[in-house]
Amino acid sequence: MLINRTRAAAVTLMAMIFVQVPLTHSTSSKSHVNVYHVLLLLMPLLYLPAVRYLKLNPATAFIATMMGTSLAAAASYGGGMRSTLIVFVAAAYFLGVVFGRKLQDVELRKIFVWILGCCIVFIILRDAVYAGQLGAVYARSEGASGILYMSTGGRNIEASLLALLSILLLGTRVYPIAAGIALLTSGMMLSRAGLLGAAVSIGIAAYRTRKTRHYYLYTFLGIAMMVLIGGLVLSSVIDIPVLDRFNLQAETQLEHKNVGRLALWNSAAAALEQNLLGYGVGNGVPLMEQISGLTFVENNVHNIYLQFLLEGGVQSLLLFLALVLHILFRPAEGQQRNIKAFLLCYLMLAFIEFSGYEAYFWFFVGMFYARTDARRAQARIDATAARKASPLPPPHPDPTHA
């Protein structure tokens, strides 16, 4: 594949979105500034004429509403560094639209393979650097301070990203490699979201390669039940850390210490009792801390639907749910099928993970809509060309010369 400006820009941005190289860290806002943040600010300047590709849809309506809500809420609740997240959401969405319109399916497939290569190189180099302390990299019982993960969100997001990336590679020869790395990494890192994402990815792959729909569906469900029952039996005899991660009792114990997801969700509910119209992007956790008197390590509530309700209000959440339904029921073809599966898997995992402002999610939302618009535009062009190429009907005989 020849490298032109558009392909090079797409590869660079996607590589930095998946392999997040940090530039600086703010302890006050609990946020990282990464290389991809700089790219998201600069790259849109190269494609300003492509603004014409933007359409009114649930995604653009949601982004505009979140911006308006944040500006209105800033007068009462202020704003910090994390308030700028909505700018990066808009930039990622716009660039997804641009590359979705400019790149063909075969180019996207090759780019996704390249991104997998970038991730593999990063993992190999990282593990080589920390060869003497791989327990700190992968085992949750070890400290991981200062260790560089593929995502600045830590080991959980790294595992989830690898599972999501494998979905983009469905139908390619490298898919088994991508799925295997995702499953192995998620298992070693004891990542619940990563294991669920890998299971979804493998399930989709099995379904798409089916001979008969019911045979493979029941086979997949049967194997899943056997693994579950076997795991439950083994966990009652020996301690299996990865199964402990799915134990709700552990979350309850964390809640009693004012940490973990349940503590975050309870504090978010208390904050929502005082305001259902939104505190503004980035203000959710700080306001929760003020109201509850607690201090959280996290900078989000690990549930993007609750996050959008808390920071964007009811109006933003309703638009986001419309976006979810639009993605779910809109037909897809070619690489758009993989992008749709990527987005739906993210939206499923988003009940227990993510902040909702991740650049990779909004980038592929933009690309999803762009692929639909490009397909419709191409269909119109083909129809016009067909009409012009069709031969003229034979003239009717003149009855006066009969």
Side-chain angles (χ1 to χ4, degrees):
M1 180 175 67
L2 296 177
I3 297 294
N4 60 23
R5 189 182 72 171
T6 300
R7 292 169 186 158
V11 170
T12 302
L13 178 60
M14 279 192 258
M16 290 298 99
I17 285 177
F18 279 92
V19 182
Q20 299 170 10
V21 180
L23 295 176
T24 184
H25 173 66
S26 171
T27 54
S28 59
S29 64
K30 308 169 188 174
S31 301
H32 286 85
V33 176
N34 301 325
V35 171
Y36 78 81
H37 289 114
V38 178
L39 296 178
L40 288 176
L41 291 178
L42 297 179
M43 276 191 177
L45 300 178
L46 301 175
Y47 299 101
L48 287 179
V51 171
R52 68 184 186 276
Y53 294 148
L54 294 177
K55 309 289 186 197
L56 179 60
N57 56 46
T60 54
F62 169 82
I63 293 171
T65 302
M66 282 292 285
M67 284 184 173
T69 300
S70 294
L71 289 174
S76 301
Y77 306 107
M81 180 177 176
R82 287 188 63 79
S83 299
T84 61
L85 285 172
I86 193 62
V87 175
F88 297 105
V89 165
Y93 173 79
F94 172 66
L95 289 172
V97 170
V98 171
F99 294 128
R101 290 295 294 262
K102 290 180 175 290
L103 297 172
Q104 302 299 317
D105 271 7
V106 64
E107 295 173 308
L108 282 176
R109 188 182 301 111
K110 291 180 180 179
I111 288 173
F112 294 156
V113 173
W114 288 11
I115 301 308
L116 173 64
C118 292
C119 294
I120 293 174
V121 169
F122 169 83
I123 293 171
I124 292 173
L125 292 177
R126 190 266 313 280
D127 290 357
V129 170
Y130 297 101
Q133 47 181 326
L134 289 180
V137 176
Y138 291 98
R140 301 189 70 87
S141 60
E142 300 285 346
S145 177
I147 290 176
L148 185 62
Y149 287 97
M150 201 174 83
S151 166
T152 49
R155 54 165 66 91
N156 274 332
I157 307 297
E158 175 173 320
S160 300
L161 269 176
L162 288 169
L164 290 169
L165 177 59
S166 71
I167 294 177
L168 293 176
L169 293 164
L170 284 165
T172 67
R173 293 182 179 180
V174 300
Y175 172 76
I177 298 174
I181 292 174
L183 188 60
L184 183 62
T185 301
S186 299
M188 289 190 297
M189 292 184 172
L190 305 185
S191 171
R192 287 171 290 194
L195 287 169
L196 289 173
V200 169
S201 175
I202 295 170
I204 295 173
Y207 180 79
R208 289 188 182 180
T209 56
R210 67 194 183 280
K211 292 180 180 177
T212 61
R213 177 181 303 179
H214 298 297
Y215 173 79
Y216 279 96
L217 173 62
Y218 293 147
T219 299
F220 177 73
L221 291 176
I223 292 175
M225 290 299 297
M226 289 174 60
V227 171
L228 176 61
I229 294 172
L232 292 174
V233 172
L234 287 175
S235 64
S236 64
V237 179
I238 58 176
D239 182 38
I240 303 177
V242 70
L243 293 179
D244 293 338
R245 291 284 292 153
F246 292 88
N247 188 345
L248 294 180
Q249 183 179 358
E251 285 291 340
T252 305
Q253 293 173 352
L254 289 174
E255 182 190 8
H256 292 157
K257 302 176 184 177
N258 295 322
V259 295
R261 285 171 173 78
L262 294 180
L264 286 167
W265 296 345
N266 287 334
S267 295
L272 285 169
E273 291 178 357
Q274 301 186 21
N275 180 13
L276 278 174
L277 295 179
Y279 290 102
V281 174
N283 289 339
V285 172
L287 265 295
M288 286 163 48
E289 292 178 335
Q290 291 182 23
I291 293 171
S292 65
L294 303 174
T295 300
F296 296 104
V297 176
E298 297 86 350
N299 57 20
N300 66 88
V301 300
H302 292 299
N303 181 314
I304 71 170
Y305 306 94
L306 183 58
Q307 188 84 34
F308 289 151
L309 176 60
L310 182 66
E311 299 185 344
V314 176
Q315 64 280 6
S316 297
L317 178 62
L318 290 176
L319 285 170
F320 186 74
L321 293 177
L323 168 65
V324 174
L325 294 175
H326 210 213
I327 293 172
L328 177 62
F329 292 108
R330 173 164 284 198
E333 299 177 2
Q335 286 301 303
Q336 191 186 26
R337 291 181 68 206
N338 288 354
I339 293 171
K340 178 177 179 177
F342 174 100
L343 295 174
L344 292 177
C345 184
Y346 173 97
L347 291 167
M348 182 195 74
L349 300 180
F351 283 100
I352 60 172
E353 197 173 37
F354 303 125
S355 70
Y357 304 107
E358 286 81 9
Y360 42 84
F361 172 69
W362 290 103
F363 178 84
F364 284 111
V365 168
M367 186 169 284
F368 177 80
Y369 278 105
R371 304 304 291 173
T372 299
D373 295 337
R375 190 170 68 247
R376 290 176 176 174
Q378 187 61 47
R380 288 194 295 268
I381 293 173
D382 293 342
T384 302
R387 285 196 300 270
K388 291 181 178 179
S390 61
L392 295 175
H396 294 289
D398 189 347
T400 60
H401 297 285

